[in-house]
Amino acid sequence: VIVDLHTIPRGTGDDYVGTTQLQTDPEAFDRYVDLVARISGDLSRWPASMVALEVINEPTLNCHDTGEQARWQAKLERLHGAARATNRNITLVLTGACWGSAEGLAAVDPGPIDDANTLWSFHGYEPFYVTHQGATWGGDIVAHLRGIPWPPDAGGAAALDAAAADSAARIRAALSGHAERRTLTYLDDSVREMRAMEDSADALAPMFATAAEWADTHGIARDRIFMGEFGMIGREWGTDLDVPAQYRLNYMRAMIGQAEAHGFSWSVWSVGGAFGLMQGYAGERLDLPLYDQLIWTLTD
């Protein structure tokens, strides 16, 4: 079991402190460090071989900016030290910035942490326009997308063209001006890039290669690399989004295959909600839980 202190981005108000505030407000981060230490100590009641602690979820600092990269390195070292000070034995799950991406992981220097009892995590949701199609909280670039298949030829030769045309029509109906142009350009570029690939796996491979290269460079065993989140949206609150289960199964099976080929462990997002495998938004059990179908496909 991994206990994940799952902060999420919030607004800028004091009433809704989230990931962004934790990384920009020193006092908020101080309080969060204290929380991590307390939770880590509380978890000592369970065997360290059974429970791990993930110290933060998807840090939003920019891993490509040297200043923000250094800021996250310092914060990560501090979180690690706080957790370890109250629990010497527990496995700790650590991650990089850039929303916990493989690129964020690659920007971390594990040397100062020097702790073998850690898992190093990255999250994988590429291609974003596929996995987050219809996500209203994902911004205009994906909120109006519908029916994008995975792999691109899953619904037949014309499926991707039809989905792109329908999505473009929805964008034009919902947006105007710069927002419309920007969103249509993102859709066109994404579809064009996908069509240019000989194998859809080429869209997934870079994140795994990045994580593997980082692990090998720093002498970290592949089984200590953890793809802590991946998945594909199925439905969205208050919209008509209904992504075919087969597209989602195809994507998850491809991602699991990539992870296991590299020797990485993995965890699917999520039990319920927009990406739910078993439950809807209100906790209702889906008629044919995707989890069951995923297990069937993995054991075929």
Side-chain angles (χ1 to χ4, degrees):
V1 173
I2 294 177
V3 177
D4 170 19
L5 300 187
H6 200 95
T7 62
I8 59 174
R10 293 285 192 183
T12 56
D14 293 338
D15 293 338
Y16 298 98
V17 174
T19 313
T20 302
Q21 287 76 15
L22 293 179
Q23 292 166 83
T24 57
D25 182 338
E27 291 185 3
F29 187 72
D30 287 347
R31 294 195 299 272
Y32 185 76
V33 170
D34 290 342
L35 172 67
V36 168
R38 189 171 79 242
I39 296 296
S40 184
D42 288 345
L43 293 176
S44 63
R45 73 187 72 179
W46 286 286
S49 60
M50 297 175 64
V51 178
L53 173 64
E54 185 165 7
V55 298
I56 198 166
N57 175 69
E58 294 189 349
T60 55
L61 290 175
N62 185 351
C63 61
H64 303 292
D65 178 277
T66 54
E68 292 204 355
Q69 183 184 110
R71 283 172 57 199
W72 176 244
Q73 178 77 32
K75 289 179 183 295
L76 181 62
E77 291 176 23
R78 191 174 167 199
L79 288 169
H80 169 266
R84 190 57 79 213
T86 56
N87 193 329
R88 293 185 300 171
N89 298 318
I90 194 170
T91 298
L92 298 175
V93 181
L94 310 177
T95 190
C98 281
W99 298 79
S101 65
E103 289 183 332
L105 180 61
V108 170
D109 179 4
I113 292 173
D114 191 26
D115 185 344
N117 193 19
T118 53
L119 295 175
W120 292 93
S121 176
F122 72 95
H123 293 179
Y125 288 104
E126 296 297 331
F128 189 72
Y129 85 108
V130 174
T131 64
H132 283 66
Q133 58 183 293
T136 55
W137 42 270
D140 285 336
I141 60 171
V142 292
H144 310 290
L145 306 185
R146 295 291 188 279
I148 309 296
W150 186 267
D153 59 355
L160 182 57
D161 290 338
D166 176 60
S167 297
R170 289 171 180 267
I171 291 167
R172 294 188 182 97
L175 304 175
S176 61
H178 175 71
E180 177 186 349
R181 293 190 297 273
R182 172 176 172 268
T183 307
L184 286 172
T185 298
Y186 174 76
L187 173 62
D188 290 343
D189 289 348
S190 298
V191 172
R192 185 182 307 109
E193 182 179 343
M194 185 59 65
R195 286 197 184 108
M197 293 182 180
E198 294 184 4
D199 186 343
S200 59
D202 293 344
L204 312 181
M207 69 182 95
F208 294 97
T210 296
E213 181 180 3
W214 176 84
D216 294 347
T217 297
H218 294 285
I220 295 173
R222 296 286 187 91
D223 62 3
R224 289 176 58 200
I225 305 299
F226 172 49
M227 182 169 61
E229 272 188 38
F230 72 100
M232 185 174 176
I233 197 168
R235 48 196 64 77
E236 176 65 302
W237 184 262
T239 75
D240 62 350
L241 183 70
D242 188 12
V243 177
Q246 192 59 54
Y247 293 173
R248 301 178 68 204
L249 285 168
N250 294 344
Y251 180 80
M252 287 185 282
R253 191 172 191 178
M255 289 286 281
I256 290 168
Q258 291 263 356
E260 294 190 346
H262 284 81
F264 302 162
S265 54
W266 51 267
S267 178
V268 180
W269 180 268
S270 62
V271 171
F275 286 69
L277 299 181
M278 301 175 67
Q279 299 174 357
Y281 280 95
E284 71 276 15
R285 186 172 174 83
L286 302 181
D287 290 341
L288 183 56
L290 198 59
Y291 170 83
D292 294 345
Q293 299 179 63
L294 179 62
I295 294 302
W296 292 340
T297 64
L298 292 176
T299 56
D300 283 346

